[in-house]
């Protein structure tokens, strides 16, 4: 069994209540930080831990915090990004449902480090049940003296507020989130200025993911150096992976970074292999925005090395033959799945979710959707395949926020790795309506699967 | 039965106003606009959808121009701009759920309810629509029903039938 830093007590009955969470050592990190550490000390521990943002981009958290401007007399804010809407990603919902006090504890430590006195958790509106859970957890923590005025008699005041979204993927992008939190449409802001200088209400703001903030709890309890011993290289600590698609045991798993992808998919401790004894065809390893890889490239790199669940190893090979860890949304496709159909589905998603501010994204996502629709429904021509690549290329890098890239990469990578399947769809328009291309030449069948 | 009207009489009760006040208190002075989304959720919960009257009243309460409320209502998918059934079934239609059969579930719901996406059943009880990923991909197919947004996971045709029958029964017993 690998070490669990966030989910050690996830299966303890009642862990969602303050009482049980506290019995299991909860809020020790708050006591430690407030009674024996300065905000700078907390920041130093987070820096030493090597923690990187778990929301998708993997930016070092300590560095992000150190950029926070601290002008005299201007309030600063911590905003927790609980908008979780990236297809394939469902870890934050899981954490907030089953161990909400971990997030609240992390919010207190992080707010203390940043000098924030009013912190917000922006939760996507569809997660009403989780909003209620968090509100209850906050009330319990306040009742016990861990929130409010003069926490633990140490002179630090903090309120945590839960604020709902209302259904828009783009509000996961941090500046769109801030707009939304200000009661507006979620149109991303042009950067600079970055939120660290001018964020919520034009005040210095740090936006962090639910899991990132929660990870500060073990970091303060055990020390940043201890945390950094877990994991592999610059991918320190553990990561929550939400696994879905055609797996025997989909769900949320806390892994030590450095676990091999093969073990994650096939061992019984994790996903237990492909459902119904089917063969793996492809994987999207880090949420819908990252490049899709065929089975043979997900378990081993193009150089023939074992691929690991780390930021670096998943990215090995760049866009040609690699992908990204992203948000940890791990989607497995079995031999019966159609890559064209899934690519169309994702393209439709991004076209629907584009905020419409920049023309390359607004028009480009619309065209990707339309061209893919034609191919899927037997009305495509071979030149459409290059057209897709061309459109994706024209969106990439030409937009205000990274949603444009997120829409372009899945299409570009699907065409790169599964071109035969697109060509077959176009050359066999009728047959493609009745059956799928199958596993094709991509999947190098694994000779033996890993067992415990 | 839900009355389908083009617009509606909207008067916020004392209780609702107290809830609004509580929400506003979470944001700094002069930043009351931040309370817009949560207040809209409460209003939709009460009235079922976002009528122009409702939006104008919210604008008045928060001291905003009406357009500031309209533009928000039209941006976010959770706000209904026309009357909907009492129970709106939001079914996830995004990639991961489709890998495990969401499309079949949607077809089945359309057939069972006998109305197209976005329409209301004759008895005013149900509407359905496909929505984008609702962060439950490992437990798909999934749907959720407002205003509390309860999740129903690992759906099968049988589970959907049972759910619809239970909701119908609950309404008949009222
Ligand atoms: C289109 C888009 C959607 C995003 N959605 C989320 C999200 O749902 N949750 C999240 O934490 N970060 C999301 N991000 C990343 C955020 O912009 C931001 O980088 C992150 O919240 C920073 O937190 P971290 O440093 O702790 O990862 C999204 C980014 C983009 C461009
Ligand atoms: S890239 Fe797309 S989502 Fe992002 S700001 Fe531009 S139009 Fe909006």
């Amino acid at each position: 069994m690998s070490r669990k830093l966030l989910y050690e007590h996830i299966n303890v009955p009642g862990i969602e209540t303050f009482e049980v969470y506290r019995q299991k050592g909860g809020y020790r990190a708050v006591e430690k930080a407030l009674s024996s550490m300065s905000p700078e000390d907390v920041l130093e521990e987070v820096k030493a831990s090597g923690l990187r943002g778990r929301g998708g981009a993997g930016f070092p958290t300590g560095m992000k915090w150190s950029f926070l401007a601290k002008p005299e007399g201007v309030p600063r804010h911590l905003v927790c990004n609980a908008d979780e809407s990236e297809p394939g990603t469902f870890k934050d919902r899981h954490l907030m449902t089953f161990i909400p006090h971990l997030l609240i504890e992390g919010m207190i430590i992080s707010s203390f480090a940043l000098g924030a006195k009013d912190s917000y958790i922006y939760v996507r509106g569809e997660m009403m049940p989780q909003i209620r859970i968090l509100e209850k957890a906050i009330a319990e923590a306040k009742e016990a003296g861990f929130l409010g005025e003069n926490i633990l008699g140490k002179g630090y005041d903090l309120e945590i507020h839960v604020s709902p979204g209302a259904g828009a993927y783009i509000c996961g992008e941090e500046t769109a989130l801030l707009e939304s939190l200000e009661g507006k449409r979620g149109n991303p802001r042009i950067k600079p200025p970055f939120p660290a200088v001018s964020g919520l209400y034009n005040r210095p703001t740090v936006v962090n993911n639910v899991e990132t903030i929660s990870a500060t709890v073990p970091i303060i309890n055990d020390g940043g150096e201890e945390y950094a011993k877990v994991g592999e290289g610059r991918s320190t600590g553990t990561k929550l992976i939400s696994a879905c698609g055609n797996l025997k045991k989909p769900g949320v798993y806390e892994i030590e970074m450095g676990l091999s992808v093969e073990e994650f998919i096939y061992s019984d401790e994790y996903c237990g292999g492909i459902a119904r004894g089917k063969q793996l065809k492809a994987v999207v390893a880090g949420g819908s925005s990252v490049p899709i890889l065929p089975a043979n490239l997900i378990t081993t790199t193009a150089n023939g090395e074992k691929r690991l669940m780390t930021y670096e190893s998943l990215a090995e090979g760049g866009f040609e033959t690699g992908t990204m860890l992203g948000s940890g949304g791990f989607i497995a496709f079995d031999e019966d799945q159609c890559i064209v159909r899934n690519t169309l589905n994702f393209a439709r998603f991004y076209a629907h979710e584009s905020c419409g501010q920049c023309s390359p994204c607004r028009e480009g996502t619309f065209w990707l959707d339309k061209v893919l629709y034609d191919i899927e429904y037997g009305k495509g021509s071979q030149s459409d395949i290059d057209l897709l690549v061309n459109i994706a290329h024209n969106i990439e890098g030409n937009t205000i926020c990274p949603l444009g890239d997120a829409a372009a990469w899945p299409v570009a990578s699907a065409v790169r790795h599964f071109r035969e399947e697109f060509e077959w769809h176009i050359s066999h328009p009728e047959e493609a309506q009745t059956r799928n291309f199958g596993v094709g030449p991509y999947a190098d069948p694994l000779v033996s699967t890993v067992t415990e | 039965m839900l009355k389908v009207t083009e617009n509606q009489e909207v008067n916020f009760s004392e209780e609702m106003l107290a809830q609004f006040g509580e929400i506003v208190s979470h944001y700094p002075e002069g930043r009351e606009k931040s309370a817009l989304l949560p207040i809209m959720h409460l209003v939709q919960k009460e009235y079922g959808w976002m009528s122009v009257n409702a939006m104008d009243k919210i604008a008045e309460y928060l001291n905003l121009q009406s357009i500031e409320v309209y533009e928000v209502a039209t941006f976010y998918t959770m706000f209904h701009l026309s009357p909907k059934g009492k129970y709106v079934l939001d079914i996830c239609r995004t990639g991961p759920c489709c890998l495990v059969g969401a499309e079949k579930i949607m077809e089945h719901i359309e057939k069972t309810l006998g109305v197209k996406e976005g329409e209301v059943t004759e008895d005013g009880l149900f509407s359905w629509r496909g929505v984008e990923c609702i962060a439950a991909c490992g437990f798909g197919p999934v749907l959720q029903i407002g205003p509390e947004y309860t999740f129903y996971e690992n759906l099968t045709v049988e589970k959907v039938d049972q759910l619809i029958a239970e909701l119908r029964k609950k309404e008949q017993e009222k």
Side-chain angles (χ1 to χ4, degrees), chain A residues 77 84-90 93-94 118 120 122 124-130 132 160-168 170-171 176 179-187 200-203 243-246 250-252 276 331-333 337 341-342 345-346 348-349 352-355 377, chain B residues 22-23 25-42 45 64 68-79 90 92-101 103 106-107 129-140 142 144 147-151 153-154:
Chain A
H77 294 291
E84 191 168 64
S85 324
E86 169 98 355
T89 315
F90 51 102
R93 177 166 95 106
H94 191 269
D118 279 287
Y120 292 89
Y122 178 92
R124 61 179 297 184
E126 291 91 338
M127 291 194 200
M128 280 303 167
Q130 285 66 34
R132 303 281 169 260
I160 299 178
H161 314 276
V162 182
S163 211
I170 191 58
C171 290
E179 288 286 298
S180 183
L181 192 46
E182 293 182 5
K184 305 179 206 155
R185 292 166 78 95
N187 288 333
L200 184 63
Y201 312 129
N202 301 324
R203 298 167 179 175
C244 63
N246 308 118
V252 178
R276 295 175 294 134
I331 314 168
F333 299 74
Q337 303 304 332
R341 192 168 184 79
N342 183 72
N345 188 298
F346 282 171
R348 199 235 29 246
F349 172 82
H352 183 260
E353 299 300 331
S354 166
C355 84
Y377 289 98
Chain B
E22 205 278 324
I23 291 171
S25 77
H26 289 279
Y27 306 98
E29 239 183 277
R31 301 294 184 175
E32 291 78 11
K33 189 173 176 180
S34 278
L36 181 55
L37 271 64
I39 286 180
M40 288 171 79
H41 281 303
L42 279 183
K45 187 173 169 182
L64 303 171
E68 293 175 85
V69 184
Y70 304 164
E71 65 175 14
V72 162
T74 51
F75 187 85
Y76 295 95
T77 55
M78 286 176 75
F79 299 125
D90 285 343
C92 175
R93 62 172 181 182
T94 314
C97 270
C98 288
L99 294 182
V100 290
E103 286 154 313
M106 272 199 279
E107 278 167 27
R129 59 176 183 167
V131 296
E132 302 300 348
C133 184
I134 46 183
C137 323
F139 320 107
V142 287
Q144 57 180 6
E148 290 306 328
Y149 294 90
T150 321
F151 276 82
E153 302 177 333
N154 298 312

Side-chain angles (χ1 to χ4, degrees), chain A residues 29 46 51 65 106 109-110 211-221:
Chain A
V46 172
L51 175 66
W65 288 10
I109 302 164
S110 307
E211 185 188 349
T212 313
I213 292 173
S214 301
T216 61
V217 174
I219 290 170
I220 294 309
N221 276 331

Side-chain angles (χ1 to χ4, degrees), chain A residues 15 114 138 152 215 248 252 262 287 306 417:
Chain A
I15 196 70
L114 299 168
I138 289 169
L152 304 178
K248 223 178 243 167
V252 178
E262 188 179 330
K306 242 184 194 337
H417 297 297

Side-chain angles (χ1 to χ4, degrees), chain B residues 3 32 78 80 90 112 117 139 146 155 164 173:
Chain B
K3 260 229 203 85
E32 291 78 11
M78 286 176 75
H80 304 310
D90 285 343
T112 310
E117 185 167 11
F139 320 107
L155 292 176
I164 294 175
E173 282 167 3

Side-chain angles (χ1 to χ4, degrees), chain A residues 328-342:
Chain A
F330 194 95
I331 314 168
F333 299 74
D334 73 18
E335 60 194 275
D336 294 340
Q337 303 304 332
C338 171
I339 299 299
V340 176
R341 192 168 184 79
N342 183 72

